[in-house]
Amino acid sequence: MRYFGMLLTLLFSLSASAGEYVLALSWQPRFCATHTDKPECPATAARHPLTLHGLWPQQNEYCQIPAEAIANDRQHRWDALPQPATQADTQARLAQVMPGVLSYLDRHEWTRHGSCAGTDADTYFRQAIRLTEQVQQSRLATLLRQQQGQTIPLQSLQNAARELNSQRNSVEFLCEQQQLTEIRLQLQAGQVQQLQLDMGNPRPSRPAPRKALCRSGLVQLSPVQ
């Protein structure tokens, strides 16, 4: 529980103006199985198979971003986006939890989402890093690592996720053809001052597409290869 007390303290530090957040974590083995050409693959290159996709304020996107950068982002020309202004140690830690920096994912995430977090880029990424590290130390992450390459009940994942947040709908599991692709933890920054894992009303204003949610009773976990 010490780790999750730290998690809640960190969430309280997020900008109150941003309100609702989604912490999106990718199951890297599945990502690499379907994106073999990506420089961050194979998944064995990642320190942990559960990796940071992004931390998304839910109210807005592209805050005070020039039109040219928005166009480049939407056309997936992420290498043309400006490098977020982060300290060297932040960038090094980010590479450990977000291997997608090799594909300029950090530039995309700051341009589209981080720019609306109400903080500078270094603070935003440090928050995302620490949140990811806490989830990586959770019972859910341990279960995922132990069961990789196996098919397990969705209920087992949901039960393990309650350690992170006791509201069942506050953690969403995304699948493609029963294969786990992503986990999204829905967070209410303004409610963290209660210092309780139960966030009260966790559903974000823009939930995951319903067709992407894991609906089968069984979920397949791609192995690290």
Side-chain angles (χ1 to χ4, degrees):
M1 291 301 294
R2 175 174 62 89
Y3 293 120
F4 302 106
M6 293 170 60
L7 175 64
L8 290 173
T9 301
L10 176 60
L11 287 174
F12 184 55
S13 71
L14 293 170
S15 169
S17 63
E20 297 174 331
Y21 287 80
V22 167
L23 177 68
L25 302 173
S26 298
W27 182 242
Q28 194 71 3
R30 179 58 181 172
F31 176 83
C32 285
T34 56
H35 298 80
T36 56
D37 59 330
K38 289 288 187 179
E40 61 265 34
C41 296
T44 51
R47 185 178 66 176
H48 194 287
L50 198 57
T51 63
L52 174 62
H53 180 173
L55 179 63
W56 306 332
Q58 293 296 284
Q59 278 72 14
N60 297 294
E61 296 178 342
Y62 300 113
C63 294
Q64 299 183 332
I65 299 297
E68 180 180 0
I70 294 175
N72 284 333
D73 184 70
R74 287 175 171 166
Q75 295 174 30
H76 292 267
R77 295 200 299 263
W78 296 350
D79 59 325
L81 297 173
Q83 175 70 39
T86 56
Q87 298 179 18
D89 64 322
T90 303
Q91 194 63 28
R93 288 180 61 204
L94 184 62
Q96 294 294 311
V97 299
M98 180 189 272
V101 297
L102 294 174
S103 296
Y104 308 103
L105 178 60
D106 55 332
R107 300 186 185 189
H108 160 69
E109 290 299 320
W110 171 253
T111 298
R112 182 173 179 178
H113 302 289
S115 60
C116 299
T119 68
D120 58 73
D122 194 76
T123 300
Y124 168 75
F125 281 112
R126 282 182 178 273
Q127 291 169 338
I129 290 166
R130 289 184 61 190
L131 288 168
T132 302
E133 290 173 342
Q134 299 308 312
V135 177
Q136 287 178 342
Q137 296 177 66
S138 69
R139 187 162 64 93
L140 173 61
T142 298
L143 176 66
L144 290 169
R145 297 190 79 166
Q146 291 175 340
Q147 298 297 321
Q148 60 177 301
Q150 306 297 317
T151 298
I152 66 173
L154 175 59
Q155 186 66 51
S156 296
L157 297 178
Q158 293 170 335
N159 290 341
R162 289 175 185 165
E163 179 186 32
L164 294 170
N165 196 318
S166 63
Q167 293 283 330
R168 288 187 61 185
N169 290 335
S170 64
V171 179
E172 294 180 327
F173 297 92
L174 277 62
C175 286
E176 292 178 354
Q177 299 177 343
Q178 288 190 274
Q179 292 275 355
L180 180 70
T181 59
E182 190 162 279
I183 297 171
R184 295 185 182 179
L185 178 62
Q186 306 167 21
L187 309 170
Q188 292 270 350
Q191 294 178 321
V192 178
Q193 54 192 301
Q194 299 176 17
L195 296 181
Q196 297 176 352
L197 291 176
D198 184 348
M199 298 294 182
N201 180 24
R203 189 177 295 279
S205 56
R206 289 179 295 175
R210 306 313 296 176
K211 66 178 181 180
L213 295 178
C214 300
R215 294 188 176 278
S216 171
L218 298 174
V219 176
Q220 298 176 24
L221 302 177
S222 298
V224 175
Q225 295 180 341

